[in-house]
Amino acid sequence: MTETIKTDVLIIGAGPVGLFAVFELGLLDMKAHLIDILDRPGGQCAELYPEKPIYDIPAIPFITGQGLVDALMAQIKPFGPTFHFGEMVETVERIGDPLFRVRTDRGKEFEAKVVVIAAGGGSFQPKKPPMPGIEAYEGRSVHYAVRRMEDFRGRRILVVGGGDSALDWTLNLAPLAGRLTLLHRRDAFRAAPDSVNKMRALVANGSIDLLVGQVTALEGGDGQLSAAVVKHDDGSSTTVGCDAMLPFFGLTMKLGPVANWGIALHEGELIPVDTAAFETSVPGIFAIGDINWYPGKLKLILSGFHEVALMTQKAHRYIYPEKRLVFQYTTSSTSLQKKLGVA
Ligand SMILES: Cc1cc2nc3c(=O)[nH]c(=O)nc-3n(C[C@H](O)[C@H](O)[C@H](O)COP(=O)(O)OP(=O)(O)OC[C@H]3O[C@@H](n4cnc5c(N)ncnc54)[C@H](O)[C@@H]3O)c2cc1C
């Protein structure tokens, strides 16, 4: 039986807004767990534009997407949040007043007094490559994400793609693969130059293979892949023996399961909230960041940060109904500074 994880606040989504929520909640003694489908924190900033500079974070003239995520992770460290990566929240059920049971697609169960939906544009979903018959292998030998590296030990792996994910997983899996082949449609890569250099060094010393071309057919049976047929630009073909194929063709965003949680939606894809506390139609469930809607809403990181501060005040009433909340500044409150570990 799965053990239920109990927490004050459960945050769905570890994008910049979900991360900053940990900070504001922590200052008011509320503990948080965060769940994200991705394998790391940062949401859109880390996944879509890690190296692009952002110029409109107040008082920071410029910072890259990943830089902002790293800074947020440092800022929330004193509050020791627990992250559950590689898990998608599938169901949110009200079981008390307020108390919620939340379940993920990997079977984890949580009980939280407050749920904060910081799910951004919704769930990132892999773009599927146009390969005939690929569905028959999905989940068993075709994977769009690596959840446990050990599952790939000793296997003949075909990584397909030329971006950061394809290159990162090529480098990470190469030491434990039986044999690894990287396939891209051209001999130029969009990934970080350092990763490309490392990959080329592995090819040069014979540790991995690099192929240029496109998969035109898959061979195998009963969900188990045995080979992929690769067509090259000159019209020739190569058959690559493989037990596992990892296509990394980028991600799209879909609202996903949020639509089924019994919360009123705006135009079918955003969650309407009040602007005093950013609470949804269900008391105790809040929605902050890109996922919410109210008149005048701007999908900006700074708007999400403001929403976090107000959400926290109301969440406190659910978690500590008997306690009066005293407004304090971090500059002058010794008690807040103690929580931050600086006094
Ligand atoms: C190219 C680009 C450039 C941008 N530049 C700027 C800029 O300069 N300034 C600015 O202010 N904003 C910018 N933005 C917008 C900014 O990135 C977003 O406003 C911000 O990321 C929203 O943060 P968030 O935490 O609400 O959501 P997100 O960053 O979208 O994070 C949401 C997280 O929730 C997770 N999630 C969703 N559903 C589930 C589920 N069911 N279970 C578990 N996890 C789930 C997702 O995997 C994701 O990690 C830019 C966006 C893009 C794409």
Side-chain angles (χ1 to χ4, degrees):
M1 242 187 60
T2 49
E3 196 189 323
T4 303
I5 300 166
K6 297 194 175 172
T7 176
D8 292 335
V9 181
L10 188 77
I11 303 173
I12 303 171
V17 180
L19 293 179
F20 190 58
V22 173
F23 182 81
E24 291 287 308
L25 289 163
L27 283 181
L28 302 186
D29 299 318
M30 292 178 272
K31 285 265 170 222
H33 281 242
L34 297 99
I35 307 177
D36 204 297
I37 303 161
L38 301 176
D39 57 4
R40 62 194 129 162
Q44 294 175 51
C45 301
E47 200 60 36
L48 301 181
Y49 57 101
E51 293 182 350
K52 281 202 179 134
I54 310 173
Y55 298 100
D56 56 354
I57 303 296
I60 302 178
F62 92 93
I63 188 165
T64 61
Q66 189 58 50
L68 179 71
V69 176
D70 293 344
L72 285 164
M73 289 297 283
Q75 192 171 23
I76 66 177
K77 203 165 172 226
F79 301 113
T82 311
F83 289 94
H84 306 266
F85 289 120
E87 308 239 0
M88 176 164 78
V89 173
E90 273 194 338
T91 60
V92 176
E93 192 191 339
R94 191 184 164 97
I95 54 168
D97 190 23
L99 189 66
F100 299 93
R101 182 178 295 131
V102 174
R103 289 201 177 98
T104 72
D105 61 340
R106 306 209 81 203
K108 269 194 199 159
E109 187 176 284
F110 298 81
E111 255 178 45
K113 291 175 200 147
V114 162
V115 170
V116 174
I117 304 174
S123 43
F124 286 96
Q125 314 236 337
K127 285 188 195 157
K128 297 195 178 179
M131 290 174 199
I134 193 167
E135 301 79 20
Y137 300 99
E138 284 173 353
R140 176 138 181 229
S141 44
V142 170
H143 305 273
Y144 299 104
V146 176
R147 289 192 159 167
R148 240 173 54 96
M149 293 218 315
E150 267 309 305
D151 294 344
F152 295 90
R153 184 173 290 281
R155 294 173 81 185
R156 294 171 305 159
I157 305 170
L158 177 64
V159 176
V160 190
D164 282 311
S165 297
L167 271 282
D168 285 353
W169 285 117
T170 294
L171 299 177
N172 283 316
L173 292 172
L176 54 84
R179 188 72 197 165
L180 189 143
T181 305
L182 172 64
L183 170 68
H184 187 40
R185 63 191 149 76
R186 53 199 177 94
D187 193 15
F189 295 85
R190 294 184 315 278
D194 181 51
S195 307
V196 178
N197 292 340
K198 285 185 179 143
M199 177 275 290
R200 291 210 189 273
L202 290 178
V203 174
N205 71 22
S207 304
I208 64 167
D209 300 311
L210 172 63
L211 277 182
V212 176
Q214 295 190 56
V215 175
T216 51
L218 298 172
E219 293 176 3
D222 205 16
Q224 182 52 60
L225 205 59
S226 57
V229 180
V230 173
K231 194 163 180 205
H232 308 289
D233 280 352
D234 62 4
S236 64
S237 293
T238 311
T239 300
V240 185
C242 56
D243 322 299
M245 183 168 81
L246 305 172
F248 294 108
F249 282 38
L251 298 163
T252 53
M253 280 193 282
K254 294 214 171 89
L255 183 62
V258 178
N260 308 322
W261 297 342
I263 302 167
L265 294 180
H266 172 76
E267 292 181 353
E269 42 185 59
L270 296 168
I271 303 177
V273 287
D274 67 73
T275 48
F278 302 95
E279 198 166 18
T280 69
S281 60
V282 180
I285 302 188
F286 297 82
I288 51 174
D290 277 16
I291 193 83
N292 74 13
W293 179 85
Y294 50 86
K297 165 75 183 183
L298 289 178
K299 287 189 185 182
L300 283 175
I301 295 165
L302 73 89
S303 314
F305 288 171
H306 159 77
E307 294 159 15
V308 163
L310 270 64
M311 170 279 290
T312 308
Q313 302 283 310
K314 178 90 184 264
H316 188 269
R317 280 200 239 156
Y318 290 120
I319 309 279
Y320 298 110
E322 313 299 331
K323 266 199 207 168
R324 195 172 69 87
L325 189 55
V326 181
F327 179 77
Q328 297 178 88
Y329 290 124
T330 54
T331 37
S332 42
S333 159
T334 318
S335 114
L336 293 185
Q337 289 165 4
K338 278 194 180 135
K339 292 175 202 176
L340 291 168
V342 291

